[in-house]
Amino acid sequence: MTIKVKNEEALVIKIAESINGAAVSYGRYADFPDARDLMKGFDLESDTLDKIHRHCGENGLYALVRSEINQVLTKNYPFDSNRAKIPLRNFSEFSEPIVAAKNIVKRIKVLPARYRASVQLPAHFSIPLLPYVAAVKLSDSFVICRADRLPKHFPMSSENDYVDKSLFSDPFTNSSNTDRELSSDRLFFTSVELGYATVSSGNLVCTNFMDKVRAIYGACIALGFFTTEYGGQHDKKPFIILHTEAEEREIIATEELDSDLWDHRWQRSTKRFVESSSDPSRSIRAAFEKISIILGDDEFSRRLFTACIWYYRAKISRNSLDSLLHATIAIEALLGDRDTSETVGLARLLGNRCAYLLGRSRKSRQAIIDEFLAIYRLRSAIVHSGKHKLEHNERKVSDACLRLCGDVISKELDLHHSSDLDEAIPF
């Protein structure tokens, strides 16, 4: 899939005009006075604008043009503490704006590009699993593996000093962001992602990757694969490493994991799961088979994926009110049905579906329905009446909601568990 551009010459001229009016500060950060108007009055294919926004973010073409220019500056010029703005056309690569604009349009036309996003997993998650896990394929593009099973060509240096300073340190403080060495006693998530990224901007590609990590963590908690435990020793702050996905990979960006995925106060430990199993290898394999379901491309998998993200957010929140809201969003994402809910009511629909999914007797099903109706009464008070603080008994309702949410996700994963997962996948 590539992007089609109508009236390519006119787009080149528009971008060239923006380059001609742009200025650079700190030797590498371009700014455009009117660049956010790049798309106004310009005729593109009907879905092209949506594709550009999908790959480049809400600022669309502006973000892409700015990132492409900043990438050239980052690769060729050192960081300059001088804030004075210099016309972009003073730099040799942009002295001919039309030529530079044509190169940017070529980049637009081949979107989305392919990247490999990878992140080192924490010690308390990795170490208990290392004796049993080499490389496990969770989807066609997503793998959990040891460092020695990462792609053979996995550079941690760009061989460009200016780029490396941007990747591995903060140019304003010259402080190091991340280690260049891959730990042999850690597991990694690594995934092929589609989108747009440069040295100066890997944000959307990394954001999509982090959502996959959240969903997997949510499924792990629901299945009891790891526990969240307070305290203990922790690794350094983890970073996503982004490479171009080609025969000769190039490191393109590093980005810090969002705080909810690495909060140093919480361990995500698989130790209890491994030690409680009489056959850890088989139990781990079964857990990964179930987790792989959320990365499928069918409608049910997508609903599970969304539910697992919200469940993870509910579990890590330290605010009971927020946990309840997140958990109800997760349940609705998984079990909701707009057409049916308009007839019988959303709370009763979801309560019945939870009851018949989890209940083993008429009595237990009725207890679940009653519990769920209490949850939705409290949710309604929060959403519609602005309730902002939970009393002691209401916190118990929030805890029940979390429990139900985890049970529903776990049950659905159990019901849809398949056994066709490869245990070790070569890259």
Side-chain angles (χ1 to χ4, degrees):
M1 179 183 69
T2 56
I3 289 179
K4 296 179 181 179
V5 178
K6 276 186 179 179
N7 200 350
E8 187 174 322
E9 290 184 3
L11 180 58
V12 168
I13 291 171
K14 268 224 163 188
I15 294 174
E17 288 173 348
S18 292
I19 290 173
N20 199 48
V24 176
S25 57
Y26 296 106
R28 60 170 63 171
Y29 301 114
D31 191 25
F32 309 92
D34 301 310
R36 294 179 191 273
D37 297 326
L38 269 171
M39 302 300 291
K40 287 185 178 178
F42 194 80
D43 183 24
L44 292 172
E45 293 286 341
S46 58
D47 64 342
T48 296
L49 184 58
D50 288 340
K51 288 179 181 177
I52 291 175
H53 278 79
R54 190 185 314 142
H55 302 313
C56 304
E58 61 183 23
N59 289 322
L61 186 60
Y62 166 76
L64 186 146
V65 172
R66 190 172 186 271
S67 293
E68 284 295 303
I69 291 171
N70 287 340
Q71 173 163 261
V72 172
L73 295 172
T74 299
K75 286 184 173 181
N76 294 285
Y77 299 96
F79 178 81
D80 186 349
S81 59
N82 185 359
R83 298 186 182 186
K85 292 189 175 182
I86 303 170
L88 181 59
R89 60 182 178 273
N90 287 11
F91 293 82
S92 60
E93 292 82 0
F94 302 100
S95 60
E96 297 183 44
I98 291 290
V99 174
K102 285 181 177 179
N103 290 332
I104 292 173
V105 171
K106 285 180 184 177
R107 184 83 156 113
I108 293 171
K109 291 168 67 177
V110 298
L111 289 177
R114 287 168 59 87
Y115 303 94
R116 178 168 293 279
S118 308
V119 68
Q120 179 174 288
L121 298 176
H124 32 267
F125 183 99
S126 300
I127 292 174
L129 300 178
L130 284 173
Y132 311 100
V133 175
V136 178
K137 189 175 183 180
L138 298 180
S139 75
D140 288 340
S141 61
F142 199 103
V143 173
I144 179 172
C145 66
R146 297 191 312 238
D148 62 356
R149 299 300 293 271
L150 287 166
K152 291 181 180 178
H153 185 63
F154 197 82
M156 293 295 285
S157 171
S158 68
E159 299 182 358
N160 180 312
D161 288 342
Y162 298 151
V163 171
D164 280 354
K165 286 180 179 178
S166 174
L167 292 173
F168 296 105
S169 63
D170 183 343
F172 291 93
T173 63
N174 204 31
S175 60
S176 177
N177 278 344
T178 186
D179 294 329
R180 297 194 189 203
E181 297 299 322
L182 302 177
S183 299
S184 60
D185 62 346
R186 298 290 187 275
L187 293 174
F188 290 76
F189 283 149
T190 182
S191 174
V192 175
E193 301 289 334
L194 300 179
Y196 170 76
T198 67
V199 168
S200 60
S201 175
N203 187 48
L204 267 186
V205 174
C206 292
T207 296
N208 292 337
F209 178 68
M210 283 190 277
D211 277 343
K212 291 179 181 178
V213 176
R214 284 187 186 93
I216 290 170
Y217 278 178
C220 285
I221 297 172
L223 293 170
F225 187 63
F226 70 61
T227 55
T228 52
E229 301 170 1
Y230 189 81
Q233 293 184 344
H234 304 272
D235 296 327
K236 288 184 178 180
K237 191 181 298 183
F239 279 74
I240 296 170
I241 306 162
L242 199 64
H243 292 87
T244 54
E245 181 65 359
E247 187 173 341
E248 290 297 322
R249 288 185 181 85
E250 174 189 359
I251 188 166
I252 196 82
T254 60
E255 186 158 325
E256 180 182 315
L257 274 182
D258 286 349
S259 59
D260 66 300
L261 292 171
W262 66 266
D263 189 336
H264 68 278
R265 293 165 297 188
W266 292 98
Q267 294 184 351
R268 293 160 180 83
S269 176
T270 56
K271 182 178 179 181
R272 188 180 303 175
F273 180 87
V274 172
E275 291 182 346
S276 65
S277 174
S278 59
D279 188 348
S281 181
R282 183 176 180 179
S283 298
I284 292 167
R285 178 182 174 85
F288 281 141
E289 288 172 355
K290 293 175 185 178
I291 292 166
S292 71
I293 295 168
I294 70 171
L295 297 178
D297 58 5
D298 57 284
E299 177 62 23
F300 175 75
S301 294
R302 287 190 286 270
R303 290 171 75 114
L304 258 176
F305 180 90
T306 301
C308 286
I309 288 176
W310 284 104
Y311 176 61
Y312 176 71
R313 288 174 172 164
K315 284 294 290 185
I316 65 169
S317 175
R318 291 181 292 168
N319 184 303
S320 296
L321 188 150
D322 289 340
S323 290
L324 182 139
L325 291 177
H326 294 335
T328 54
I329 291 171
I331 294 171
E332 186 172 344
L334 186 54
L335 301 180
D337 182 330
R338 181 174 298 175
D339 293 337
T340 306
S341 66
E342 289 177 356
T343 303
V344 302
L346 180 61
R348 187 158 294 278
L349 170 70
L350 295 178
N352 280 327
R353 289 186 172 180
C354 284
Y356 280 85
L357 184 66
L358 303 175
R360 296 187 176 183
S361 66
R362 181 180 298 179
K363 183 177 180 180
S364 65
R365 287 172 179 168
Q366 187 58 53
I368 292 171
I369 291 172
D370 293 343
E371 192 171 44
F372 200 85
L373 291 176
I375 289 168
Y376 257 71
R377 281 194 295 271
L378 180 55
R379 177 189 181 275
S380 180
I382 296 167
V383 173
H384 301 297
S385 301
K387 185 178 181 65
H388 61 278
K389 184 179 180 180
L390 299 187
E391 304 300 330
H392 177 69
N393 287 338
E394 291 170 333
R395 291 193 186 97
K396 292 182 180 179
V397 175
S398 178
D399 292 341
C401 184
L402 271 177
R403 174 177 47 77
L404 272 178
C405 184
D407 289 347
V408 165
I409 291 172
S410 178
K411 186 66 173 181
E412 290 285 17
L413 290 172
D414 286 342
L415 290 173
H416 293 80
H417 175 208
S418 61
S419 57
D420 58 354
L421 187 67
D422 292 321
E423 190 161 3
I425 304 297
F427 284 91

